[in-house]
């Protein structure tokens, strides 16, 4: 059984803050500053260029890939870190399309995070006018898995509402229609158990700065099912995905296995911070995290609904149908969230009217939830948000 | 006049090491560990998600872009940081091709760094069979600027020999033939003055971990000439290049100016380290750096040629025809370089027979060069490299 008091003690949580935004940016692992400092001084500083070998920098993308893979049900050597989620979406969709060359349609839903749609759209424009990005309502995905579709590109958990797709069922249905799947796990990895291998998923991507706590701008990851590995030609064919990068051949030959999804020089400092975050995961069981997350979200919903009748639940009521966040709709949600943040409860706002709260058992406990509810209820029932200062929209996140 | 003793004092240079590989990975600025530690603790740790606004994280890619732009003759607001050089090459070439839609050929040379060729090849394959990557000898570029060519993609300085193309002349010639130019400044930025605006360059890209000393995996940069800015559609259309990222629109609309070349969430920790490296540049004049670099490379060549007749100069003899590195050919160059490194002089090897040494006046002075020559001469004249331990090729860089 995971000792959540122990994992909570591994994070720096500022005094006076109740942090319900770990679904956007996880907090600082206490070990990060010292470890990154050591990496800078002892590795970059003293080893200089030889750090690529002597300090294992070159292997970090696959070493960390295996650690992240352990949380998402990936086979060993099927996950590699690098770039941003947007870039990894591009690689995954481009590669998936090549596995299904007679079809020209990518299906997604309008609950997907916009960058996935933007990247796919940009890719399809490059490929030609006969390609199509088809975007349907989230509830209509299953019915739209027709046999003209090459790739189904779906984010498992809706970033606004927390609604969770059924990965196993949709993947099976897609495969039955000859469709290759790309799953975006941005709001899944570290939030609940994911079983990529068990679901027979084809490609998956995700970021590591949300529930995995890797820090601002932490690298993304990409998963390729081992059965596809040798057939995949990476669209973004960078030198570190080459079979022999340091031969400096003029022609590209994809590297073996998941290594071919590497592109350029990996961000060693960011990966070092991420390592300290993954050390916390070594102490946690992801199934325990899910169980606790459901307890916390159920508590939050029942308390908020009792205290704040003006808020409308936007997340699914069935805990198994949502990720690890809870969202409420409120017309003045932007101002309300600013007032709540000003009082030390950090959640976030998503246009047009979503107030979003993330629940992360590694460092958020029942007492935190009750304390946060008290503050939110005070703001909402006393209309404390109705101040001009809270209505100025100058925030970028 | 730049005070090079003062800039040298701003770097951590390990005892007993003579570092002639800053063209591969620059050394640690002494301020980096403290500054990154502060960023981790006071920004990520205490500000959490609000760091994107309150600590200016979201603006770092353009703030740093302007600082790097100052070293390469770029107009204000024409450079942005992010991703890796490979990704930025892809964006630049894809965008350049769209400015020249009736032509289908990208011209490059076989002295280009391979990842540029790999990325362009991958892009052209996606675009269709009628596209061609044409690779000629470096000396033949000018004669091959024919009017079927859409884009000339050239790395200004050859990573093996240091041979330097004439940016102004080639750009003029390209433009006269209706060709759009993409310049890779990996071995230029921070090595000598670059005048993108004065050369009328169209696109440029580069990395910041070599002569700019940003650290392992530091972000890349991309330049777009202001005259092209509004016509450029980024091929990698990520959410942070959107006109209004936090509106979460389903459709992509490119952001204003250089912002549209942003893709995903930027690597804040890496950018913080890079800031400390750019602080050193605030104390240096790039023209002084070039003058000093020529002095150091001329000294190195004359001393090595006098002491080591078995080494053949691979770099141009005219200092104005090379960047800030000097390379020699030697059949057993790999073993020789290992033996030299084992004695504290760090250079590197590039297949098949290139021994490469970088000269970086910010932290390498004349005494360092003379001391390095003494060690290299000892290894070469006494065949100290002829040991089995130096011949095992287990190095990745």
């Amino acid at each position: 059984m995971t000792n959540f008091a122990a994992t909570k003690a591994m994070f720096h949580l500022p005094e006076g803050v109740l942090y319900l935004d770990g679904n956007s940016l996880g907090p600082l692992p206490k070990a990060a500053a010292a470890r990154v400092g050591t990496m800078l001084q002892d590795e970059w500083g003293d080893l200089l260029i030889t750090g690529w070998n002597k300090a294992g920098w070159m292997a970090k993308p696959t070493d960390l890939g295996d650690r992240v893979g352990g949380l998402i049900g990936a086979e060993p050597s099927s996950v590699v870190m690098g770039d941003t989620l947007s870039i990894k979406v591009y690689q995954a969709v481009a590669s998936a399309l090549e596995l299904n060359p007679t079809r020209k349609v990518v299906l997604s839903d309008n609950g997907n995070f916009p960058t996935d749609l933007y990247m796919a759209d940009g890719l399809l424009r490059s490929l030609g006018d006969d390609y199509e990005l088809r975007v349907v309502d989230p509830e209509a995905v299953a019915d739209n898995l027709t046999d003209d579709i090459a790739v189904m590109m779906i984010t498992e958990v809706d970033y606004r509402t927390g609604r969770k797709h059924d990965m196993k069922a949709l993947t099976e249905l897609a495969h039955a229609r000859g469709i290759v799947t790309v799953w975006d796990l941005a709001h899944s990895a570290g939030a609940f158990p994911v079983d990529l291998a068990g679901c027979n998923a084809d490609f998956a991507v995700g970021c590591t700065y949300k529930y995995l706590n890797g820090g601002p701008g932490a690298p993304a990851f990409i998963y390729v099912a081992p059965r596809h590995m040798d057939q995949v030609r990476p669209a973004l064919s960078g030198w570190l995905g080459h079979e022999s990068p340091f031969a400096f051949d003029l022609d590209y030959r994809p590297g073996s296995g998941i290594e071919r999804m590497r592109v350029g020089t990996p961000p060693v400092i960011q990966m070092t911070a991420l390592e300290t975050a993954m050390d916390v995961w070594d102490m946690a069981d992801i199934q325990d995290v899910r169980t606790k997350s459901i307890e916390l979200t159920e508590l939050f919903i029942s308390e908020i609904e009792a205290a704040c009748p003006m808020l409308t639940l936007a997340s699914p009521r069935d805990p198994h149908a949502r990720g690890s966040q809870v969202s409420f709709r409120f017309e003045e949600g932007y101002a309300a969230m600013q007032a709540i943040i000003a009082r030390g409860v950090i959640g976030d706002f998503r246009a047009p009217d979503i107030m979003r709260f993330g629940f992360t058992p590694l460092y958020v406990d029942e007492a935190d939830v009750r304390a946060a509810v008290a503050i939110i209820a005070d703001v909402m029932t006393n209309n404390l948000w109705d101040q001009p200062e809270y209505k100025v929209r100058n925030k970028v996140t």
Side-chain angles (χ1 to χ4, degrees), chain A residues 248-259:
Chain A
F248 300 104
D249 294 330
L250 293 182
D251 293 319
Y252 182 77
R253 296 188 308 279
S256 68
I258 194 67
E259 295 263 6

Side-chain angles (χ1 to χ4, degrees), chain A residues 45-61:
Chain A
D46 286 346
L47 299 177
L48 293 157
I49 188 68
T50 68
W52 287 107
N53 295 298
K54 289 184 183 164
W57 296 345
M58 199 51 89
K60 280 188 195 289

Side-chain angles (χ1 to χ4, degrees), chain A residues 191-206:
Chain A
F192 50 79
V194 175
D195 187 11
L196 288 174
C199 290
N200 215 16
D202 302 289
F203 295 85
V205 295

Side-chain angles (χ1 to χ4, degrees), chain A residues 91-99 180 202-203 222-237 241 252-262:
Chain A
Q91 278 191 298
V93 175
S95 299
L97 280 169
E98 289 207 3
L99 294 180
V180 180
D202 302 289
F203 295 85
I222 187 166
Y223 163 86
V224 181
R227 67 184 177 280
H228 295 315
M229 210 76 88
D230 293 339
Q231 305 154 62
V232 168
R233 184 183 72 83
L236 300 171
S237 40
Y252 182 77
R253 296 188 308 279
S256 68
I258 194 67
E259 295 263 6
R260 70 182 58 182
M261 303 311 268
R262 295 175 70 156

